Every structure is written in C-alpha cells, then in structure tokens.
Amino acid sequence: MLNVRRLLLLTEATERGSLTAAAEALGMTTSAASQQMSLLEQEAGQPLIERLPRGIRPTPAGAALAERGQAIRRELRAAQADLDSFTALDQGTLRLGSFPTASASLLPLVLTRFRRRHTGIRIEVRAGVLAELREMLHTGEVEQGLLWDYEWNRLDDPALALTHLLDDPTVLVVPADSPLRTHPSVRLGDLADQEWIIRADNHPVADVLRRSCRQAGFEPRIAYSSHDYQEAQAMVAAGLGIALAPRLALTSRRSDVRLLPFASDVPAPTRRILLARAAARPATPPAQAMARVLRTVAQRFTAPDLHRAQLGAVRRG
C-alpha cells in the first residue's frame, strides 16, 4: 500500500512544480523530501517525477497519483474538521459560509435572531463566491453554507445536502423619474432600445442580463460595468442606463431609483437561495438551530408585503 504522507508530498510537488517548495509547505527539509519521493517511486515501481534544472514535472503515472492525492487531502482535511467540530461543540462554535448578497440582506437578521436565542454559541462567518463556498463545505472549513443557483446551472453535487430557503426573482432597476415607473409590470422585449448597466468581471447577473435579453430577441447595449449593486443603482439614478438585479440584492434601495416587476411571461429568471452542508457529516446541534432560524427568516423575505415594499412607489413616481 502506498504511503499517504509520501503521496501528499507528490501532490504538493506537482501543484507547486518544485520539490523544495513542497518540502517547505509540509515542514520538511529538501533532502528528506527527496528521500521520501524516492521511496514512493520504489513503492509505485516506476518514476513519478522528472527532475528539471528548475523544479520538477510529473510523469503520467505521477500526475494520476497526484490527482488521487488531492482527493485524499480533501478527505483528511474534512476528517480533521469533523474532529474540530466535536471539540468546538462544547464551546458552542458554528462556522457558516455566505455570499455577499445574502450577507447584506438575509444574514444580519438571521444572526441577530440566532444570538438572541442561543447566547452561548459563537458564530464564525466566512465569505466567498460560489466555488469557494463549495470548497469550504467539502473540506469542512464551514459546516453550513448559503449558496445560490439558476435554472441553467443547478447545483448538482451529491456530496452536499441542500435545503431550498427561498426564490429570489429578478427585477428591473430604473431611475425614479423613468416613464417606465407607472407600468404595473414590464416586458423585456420592449426594452431593446435601452442602455444597460451590467455587473463587471463575468458576474452571474451579467450572464442573467445577456441570457434574458437574447431570449427576448435582442442584444443588450452596455453603458457601464459596475462592481457592486450600490454602484449599479447610482449609475441608474444618474440616467446612464437601466439594470437587472436579484431582488434580494436591493434590500438597501436608493430613494432615487425604482424597482419594477416583470410580466409573468417575461424570461427574467429567478435564482434559488439554498442552505448547504456536507451530506456525509451529520449536522451538529448549533447547525440544526441555525437551519431553523434561516428557514424562519427566509419566509419574511418571500412575503408579498416585503415584495411590495421593495418595489416601493412604482406608481407614485
């Protein structure tokens, strides 16, 4: 049987392209790392790395083993996280992952309510984008995570147990004095001549805009690429263009913009907000308590009264 520590050394060396760098990462001397690598090659019965003038390169066999090593390393980290969670449970610690929109809207109310009910539990929140949050869940860095998906990129990960918390519809953001504000609902196909504010850096909402507009039969004309929703609202308020956004991202709405719903037959997608945990690890009591609070608070964010409040003054203008 292959030695796991040596296999992890091979994995680090392959990822870093250097046996010396791998040795430093694992707290070993370079000579010790070289000896361990030679022993691993003896166990494997064939060369696993090619030593280059600067660094190393894995052989095909070495690359295949290194890929296995990545999975083993992930499981070992998850096992350590399991042990840590049992130790921390006496101290009442819960590690939660979240993404920016949820952290700015749903999560503050959740944390306030949770702490009021469970004063002895300490909460750590880690922020990240979708891929980072999934990795945190897989490795056990967080016990629970708030995730999202759209119809065309459903989360299909058997390693995660998912709970649907709420649906977050897409709305149209327009200036407060826009003629569109008097419409009870808007058809996307009627907006082909508009300029658009889009999210920059390949943000998912940019994908939503392009997909929706193409489905409605036109290509959006982009006037500005924003880096957050407050910036997008400011550019809309200034009259530079209009924007699409998930409703949950606009709980802090500027007074000089209006949010308009789309007609029911308009291809404006709704994203799902999900609570996830590793399927192979049972939820601890703090995690179970957090799930209950999240489900309760999520109902408030789906209530019709909240929807009307956020769309606010559509007809008053």
Side-chain angles (χ1 to χ4, degrees):
M1 183 179 294
L2 296 175
N3 182 283
V4 173
R5 287 182 60 83
R6 293 168 189 157
L7 183 56
L8 295 179
L9 172 64
L10 171 64
T11 301
E12 290 285 343
T14 300
E15 291 176 345
R16 298 172 185 274
S18 166
L19 197 56
T20 300
E24 291 177 357
L26 296 175
M28 305 168 63
T29 64
T30 302
S31 60
S34 182
Q35 288 179 341
Q36 292 298 309
M37 186 60 67
S38 296
L39 289 172
L40 181 62
E41 289 180 320
Q42 291 177 25
E43 292 174 347
Q46 58 185 301
L48 299 176
I49 61 171
E50 298 176 26
R51 289 172 168 79
L52 306 174
R54 292 186 178 179
I56 62 98
R57 177 172 57 206
T59 65
L65 272 185
E67 186 174 349
R68 295 284 187 181
Q70 290 175 339
I72 291 171
R73 183 177 59 192
R74 171 184 285 181
E75 288 301 314
L76 287 172
R77 288 175 176 172
Q80 184 62 53
D82 283 346
L83 293 176
D84 292 344
S85 70
F86 285 113
T87 301
L89 188 57
D90 292 336
Q91 302 170 354
T93 299
L94 175 65
R95 300 183 306 278
L96 178 68
S98 181
F99 59 97
T101 301
S103 297
S105 56
L106 183 69
L107 199 54
L109 182 57
V110 168
L111 295 178
T112 299
R113 183 170 295 193
F114 185 90
R115 283 178 168 156
R116 195 178 297 143
R117 297 178 180 179
H118 307 282
T119 57
I121 297 175
R122 179 174 177 268
I123 302 175
E124 297 178 2
V125 179
R126 310 285 174 83
V129 296
L130 189 60
E132 294 170 340
L133 292 169
R134 291 178 66 177
E135 183 66 15
M136 290 180 199
L137 285 162
H138 287 311
T139 61
E141 184 178 345
V142 297
E143 186 175 352
Q144 294 174 304
L146 290 168
L147 308 179
W148 55 264
D149 68 8
Y150 283 100
E151 183 180 0
W152 61 83
N153 68 341
R154 291 296 190 214
L155 283 173
D156 183 16
D157 190 340
L160 296 179
L162 302 175
T163 299
H164 178 210
L165 293 176
L166 71 149
D167 289 326
D168 189 18
T170 298
V171 296
L172 182 68
V173 188
V174 302
D177 59 355
S178 169
L180 294 170
R181 73 190 187 281
T182 59
H183 294 204
S185 62
V186 180
R187 296 183 57 84
L188 195 57
D190 296 335
L191 304 176
D193 60 344
Q194 296 284 336
E195 299 283 342
W196 291 88
I197 311 300
I198 199 170
R199 287 299 303 270
D201 302 326
N202 298 315
H203 191 277
V205 172
D207 189 31
V208 169
L209 174 65
R210 291 193 170 96
R211 284 175 178 270
S212 300
C213 292
R214 288 167 186 166
Q215 193 172 347
F218 68 95
E219 190 72 25
R221 300 203 310 266
I222 308 303
Y224 188 80
S225 297
S226 68
H227 293 278
D228 59 55
Y229 289 110
Q230 284 300 113
E231 183 184 9
Q233 288 189 67
M235 293 301 102
V236 170
L240 197 60
I242 59 178
L244 292 186
R247 192 182 68 196
L248 204 61
L250 300 168
T251 50
S252 297
R253 179 178 62 83
R254 291 174 58 105
S255 61
D256 48 6
V257 301
R258 296 290 181 266
L259 311 184
L260 307 183
F262 283 101
S264 59
D265 59 342
V266 168
T270 293
R271 67 176 181 175
R272 299 189 306 170
I273 307 300
L274 307 164
L275 177 63
R277 64 172 178 83
R281 296 194 291 275
T284 61
Q288 294 173 20
M290 175 60 75
R292 288 192 294 270
V293 174
L294 277 163
R295 287 193 295 267
T296 299
V297 172
Q299 292 177 359
R300 293 189 56 179
F301 281 81
T302 58
D305 287 345
L306 174 69
H307 181 60
R308 286 194 294 270
Q310 286 184 301
L311 293 176
V314 169
R315 295 183 176 86
R316 291 199 301 271

